Structures are given as C-alpha cells and as structure tokens.
Amino acid sequence: MTPRDASEAGGGGRWSDLDRPPLNGAALRRALVREGGLWSGVDVVQRTGSTNSDLVTAASEGRAHEGAILVAEEQTSGRGRLDRRWTAPPRSGLFFSVLLTPSEVPVARWGWLPLLTGVAVATGLTRAAGVDTALKWPNDLLVTVDGEERKAGGILAERAGTDAVVVGVGLNVTLRAEELPVPQAGSLALAGAVSTDRDPLLRAVLRSLEDWYGRWRAAGGDPAASGLQETYAAGCATLGRAVRAELPGDRSLVGEAVAVDGDGRLVIATEEGVQEPVGAGDIVHLRPA
C-alpha cells in the first residue's frame, strides 16, 4: 500500500487547521491490530485518489491481506455508488477502506457486506460520537441537522479478485456549513456530535465492524441468524417511507418501502398491491403528500 505513514512523515500544512489534527497511524495500529483479531494492519496516507482503488490493487498484487485497513487524510477521486464523486477538505472526515475475505460465506450472501458495514458504522458512531445515525438503503449514512435529514457518509463495496471484497467508507466529521458540497449534505459536527476527534471515532467504527463481521461470518452469512437483518431494519430510515426507486434501464418504481429481504434487497409495495424486491438502484425518499 504505502511504505511511508503520513502521520509519521513531515511536510508543510499538516497542522494548517488546528481543529483537524492528523491521524496517528502507529497509535491506530497499536490499538487495533492484535493476535487473533480481524485487523492485520493499518496504513494512513496523506493523500490518494481512492482508498478503495488502492486496496483493490494491493490485494491483486498480493501486498494486502484480510484485515488490511487503508486510511487517507484526503481523497482526490473518492467514489460513491453510480460513480458519484466524493470530495471533502483534508482531515475533515474519515475516508478508509478495509479488505475482507469471507471464505466461510457463500458468495450469494456477500451483498450484505455494505449493509453490515452501515450497521457497524452507525453502532460505532452512536457510542463514540453520541449521534443517532440512520441508514438509507443500501449504503448511505444519515444524520439530522436542524431537524432535517442529511447525508453524512456513504459506503462502497467492490470485489477484489475472486475471494475478497474491499469495503470503503466516507464520513463527514468536521465539515462546516460553508464547506458542504451540496445543501443536502451533513456532518457529525453539524449534527451536534459530542466528539469529533477522528481517532476514537475510527477505532469505535472499526471495532464495531470487526464485531458484526465476526457474527455474520460465524453464521455462514445468514443475515437472520447473525441478527444483522433485524438490526439493519431497525436502523433503516428508508423502511416505512414512500420512495421512488430509479432502476436500471430507465425504469422507476414508486411505492412504500416495507422490508429488507433475506438477500438484502429493498421490498417496495406499489399502489397496485405488488411487492417488488429491488436489488440495485437509486432510492429517493419522497416527502409526505
């Protein structure tokens, strides 16, 4: 991944914003990497295009193995679903990717990994930041700012060869109102977080991810037996809402989101009385009439 840890390297501008101190890679490694644990290594880089792309490449070249964590202080080509760009000022958020090889889990159940990550991030943030983080199916992280639902983060899962998945998380932590890329965006700070110290936030999220991944893997990826399906549904802001699903092939579907099924698909009940599962698409929360 990188032979040099950004937190240990010199360079001007590291402390140009005193409200946004750099992460310490060595401290994170001491806290997270342990015998018998999931996390095998932590690298912090100052700047990169995309942590997901870097980790996929490292895995394909045999330079990264399960439990590798790559964190960037700034991403210049961060990506979300549908190739959307993700941009934020340096050190204003958590931008990281992890490499997972769930060999005990049938590939058909790997689609639960972004939903599992959403549950883990929301759980970790509730504990460490004191912020109620809701999940928008399939991979958005929502917070409430001034009584309004805002997107504060997103999750992107990508295959790395035949036996691995790289899961990336982008989360706005200290983004200020004047720095928002769009009015609908938010951050933990704007949502009134009790802490915006990225070090304990990252530790809490990764420990939560290790816990949920372990439960899911031990259950052979069964979302019901692991408790994942129930927990995701409980924290999903999409369920019970009127939604519009923008589907492949320029098709759209309007109805009420009523469930997340065993395959992680969103089930939408239409006015015609049909319940249709959606496995891929862009979901828009509609305002009540």
Side-chain angles (χ1 to χ4, degrees):
M1 288 178 280
T2 176
R4 196 178 189 202
D5 193 312
S7 63
E8 296 155 359
R14 284 181 65 222
W15 291 89
S16 57
D17 190 333
L18 295 179
D19 290 331
R20 293 171 174 164
L23 292 167
N24 186 309
L28 287 168
R29 281 190 289 274
R30 287 194 298 270
L32 294 166
V33 179
R34 57 185 175 79
E35 187 72 28
L38 171 62
W39 306 122
S40 57
V42 183
D43 283 292
V44 179
V45 296
Q46 192 68 30
R47 196 168 188 255
T48 192
S50 161
T51 56
N52 259 36
S53 296
D54 290 352
L55 203 47
V56 167
T57 298
S60 67
E61 295 176 353
R63 295 184 289 108
H65 307 283
E66 178 162 61
I69 303 166
L70 179 60
V71 188
E73 296 286 37
E74 179 184 11
Q75 285 192 121
T76 58
S77 303
R79 293 171 290 121
R81 287 181 64 251
L82 308 178
D83 287 328
R84 292 183 176 128
R85 293 291 303 275
W86 178 281
T87 58
R91 304 191 305 278
S92 65
L94 292 174
F95 319 114
F96 67 93
S97 298
V98 301
L99 178 63
L100 304 173
T101 57
S103 56
E104 307 91 336
V105 177
V107 173
R109 288 175 168 168
W110 288 14
W112 273 97
L113 278 170
L115 282 68
L116 181 154
T117 303
V119 167
V121 172
T123 303
L125 292 179
T126 297
R127 293 171 182 163
V131 169
D132 185 14
T133 308
L135 304 169
K136 178 187 173 189
W137 188 92
N139 64 350
D140 286 349
L141 302 162
L142 306 178
V143 295
T144 301
V145 179
D146 297 329
E148 185 178 309
E149 202 172 66
R150 305 271 194 95
K151 177 178 176 179
I155 297 159
L156 180 66
E158 298 181 90
R159 289 290 291 271
T162 59
D163 62 350
V165 177
V166 169
V167 182
V169 176
L171 177 69
N172 294 330
V173 177
T174 60
L175 209 64
R176 303 163 184 132
E178 65 273 15
E179 297 172 323
L180 296 175
V182 293
Q184 299 79 21
S187 69
L188 299 185
L190 293 174
V194 297
S195 172
T196 56
D197 185 337
R198 294 181 305 145
D199 181 286
L201 293 180
L202 182 57
R203 296 185 195 197
V205 166
L206 288 168
R207 285 169 177 153
S208 180
L209 180 53
E210 180 177 14
D211 176 51
W212 274 106
Y213 180 65
R215 293 192 219 180
W216 177 74
R217 190 166 59 174
D222 187 321
S226 62
L228 176 59
Q229 187 174 4
E230 180 181 4
T231 305
Y232 183 87
C236 182
T238 304
L239 295 182
R241 302 273 287 268
V243 300
R244 183 177 68 252
E246 304 290 351
L247 305 174
D250 293 326
R251 189 168 74 93
S252 64
L253 180 68
V254 176
E256 181 185 351
V258 295
V260 174
D261 70 12
D263 294 319
R265 299 176 300 179
L266 184 68
V267 180
I268 298 177
T270 69
E271 289 184 350
E272 293 75 27
V274 177
Q275 292 197 356
E276 184 169 341
V278 172
D282 198 22
I283 302 297
V284 179
H285 288 177
L286 302 177
R287 294 184 181 276

